Amino acid sequence: MKNKKNKKNKEEAYLIGVKKSISLMLFLFVVTTGSIHAQFVHPGLAHKESDLDRMKYMVEAGLEPWKSSFEAMQSNSDASYDYNINGPQEGTSYTKTSLGAMQKDAQAAYYNALSWYITGDTRYADKAIEVFSAWSTIRNVSGVIPLNSGKPLWRMLEAAEIIKSTYSGWSQSDINAFKEMLVYPGWSGTTVPSGQTSFYWSIYNGDPARHGNQGLFAFRSVMAMGVFMDNEVIYNRALLYLQGEKHASNDLPYPSGPPITVASPSTSNEFYDEFSITSFDDSIEDYGYNELIENYIWETGQGQEASRDQAHSVGGISIISTMCEMAWNQGFDLYSFLDNRVLKGLEYTYRYNLSYEYTYPDQTTPWEPTVASGEFIERTDRSGRWKSLKINPYTGGNLTEADLTRGKQNDIPLPQMILGHYKNRINLDDDEVKWVSRGDDVAFQLRGYEGAGTYTDHPSYGHLAYHRIDGSPGDPINGFDSNNLPEYSMNVLPITIEAENFDYFVLNGQDRTYNDLTNSNDGDQYRIDENVDIESLTGGGYNLTSIENGEWLTYTVSVPSNGTYDIDINYAAANGNGAIKFSFNGADTTSDVAIPFGAPNSTGLTDWQDFKVANAVRLSKGVQSLKILFNGTDDAFKLNNFTVSLVEADPEEAVLIQAEDYSAMSGIQTQETGDVGGGDNVGYIDANDWMEYDVDIVNSGTFILNYRVASKNGGGSVEFLVDGVSQGTTNINIADGWQTYTTLSTTVSLSSGSHTIRLNALSGGWNINWLELVLDEVELLSQEEFDKNNVIRIYPNPVSNHLTVLMPISKFSEYTIFDISGRVNKQGVIASNMQKLNIDLSNFSKGVYLISLKGNQLTKTFKLIKN
């Protein structure tokens, strides 16, 4: 990993270690740790520690889409700590029959590793280690093409990187055995071993004779192996090759070329000609085959395999994308290579496939790229084996409707990672990510949140793993290590944050994680390659200096609970003309607060004092962006740190209760009544049937009890009892049939402690899907507090039929609901005295919508998911 100083040269640098002074001592066949050591960010493949923290804290907060995506992952049998390991089926050998077993075990190890970090349950970590131990016996990979070695190994390494970096229960001896398995009989940058060899030696050269995706599977695992083993040469072997660079001087050459093929094609059709390779010329060292980014994604965005089929075409780009994410997490911007060539490839592929099944205002007919239009390139690939003639909607030479692949890849679990970078991190215009965004929307409509996808091919459960926070293009850090690498870690409230530890961004953070009006760090300390002015603080540490009007900084934080918080700063003032403002989650939490000068506050730039900027401000739980904005006169004060402390947490919100999770019942026939969303169903509820649910309440309060019901025979009525006391009767008047659910609500008061909620059926002919206890913030806040803090609550979300909006009185006058294309679906007026708005969405199709609340001085827009 290159030193963060000199970050401005990162886009030109290719060798990770060129800015380090490390001893490069080479030992032939040194096992386990590799011969060339480097310092990498750990964990540092697809997920840094801050990424894992984001998943963990958003799941704990019960926020979407992380919560539902995590639940979906855990419902996968591979994610269980009771998973039955397939293990090597042939002892110490890995052969072509081993692929299925290793793919499944690798996926299980990865899911268990994520589950360990998110839940803290060591059984998940131990299960992942069992998988590693089972496969650590491999000492020979034989009769296997690089595709079949590299494909499952990447996911296994993803899991191993998480466990090694975050769990102390994986012994060093077992880690060493796992590393030995990877490179057996050892790694070398000068000599290829003879005899039995393991995974590295089956994948280190990619696959020059085949389509690009096959060699890319191999190089993805090479890159991951380099990080896991702290071996800079292994890592750079993949990174350099993708960019078409020559091999490193301390590494083995890449395959030479060019290939030699027969003159006439062995297979020919309207889409491609295929030729037989007879041998490879060795006149050009490091020839560069189909795995190179420029050779796999051509200048128009066309994929090397676009004339083969659409599954492989998007698959290869997906592999490159995951390698871009690994490189980014290690401080290198591969995403932008060749003017964002990866994005261009995905836009091309999604446009071709989506337009076949869907119409858009700017694409009303299927897009057909042709040679005549200049949108399809007729070219022989770098293997010499394949000449593209025309984009192929089928599968290779199988040209029937049954073999159609066009439009069949629209639900792959990939868009979240791509949008997380190009949209959230670097904020490209919507038009530049148009087709990937449309792919994301279509995937959601088809499958909901991103799922597992094909084993070990694509990123999976992207709404959990890659969905980023609005307003946080960078990542939270708590400092830099001895090698000047960022130490990624979430800022969890309550906390004191050193002001100089603003969010880290791999590229220039100007206008992303900070706005500084000078072109250099005028204090010349700490983060000297960035513009924020930082100086040494007497007594140790650092502080911000040369603060100018209009500058700002961002910090990603996790708020563990809804409640009230105080904000304090430690500062030193030159005068009383400076001001500071704090914003959370994109909304101003304070106004511009004047920074005081004079006793008992700071009396000079060496007099460091604490000052309370805000008292008992309301914050909502979840990971979010905290922004500090500076105003007033330039150089009025310096800032050391700031503290956000909890004053009082709101009573804990109860969670969704699936209808079938009752503690006791009588008379009700439990069944699944169809795919209506929100879990299984409890059906055939007749008069005098009942069921009970046990709930634990942390703090007392008033709760809204939502429940989803469907009628079979025209409706009925229900009574809720809390600890035997009736809460009143609610009529169920639904005539839309057994498959159409409506959300009804009642209100209950619950004290802290355990309670039993009983649902009594006073009449029959209906079923129930789920119960949900939701804290009613209207009851907890005074009207003054509610209006002052602009509390807005939209629930349930995802919604099935009826949406409730809680909002301040007199802030909004109208609402608009529109779909992702911008088409208005519903509008309405909000009365001046209205605090609770109920909206019927029963006629809406499933999908993603936006709801906008508009007033004279305030407009708020929220994402809404309709089940």
Side-chain angles (χ1 to χ4, degrees), residues 27 30-37 179 183 187 229-231 234:
F27 298 96
V30 173
V31 177
T32 72
T33 58
S35 304
I36 305 299
H37 296 283
K179 289 182 176 181
V183 297
W187 174 81
M229 297 186 67
D230 280 307
N231 188 310
I234 292 178

Side-chain angles (χ1 to χ4, degrees), residues 64-75:
E64 299 295 358
W66 298 269
K67 173 180 177 291
S68 292
S69 184
F70 178 62
E71 290 172 349
M73 186 192 79
Q74 287 215 300
S75 69

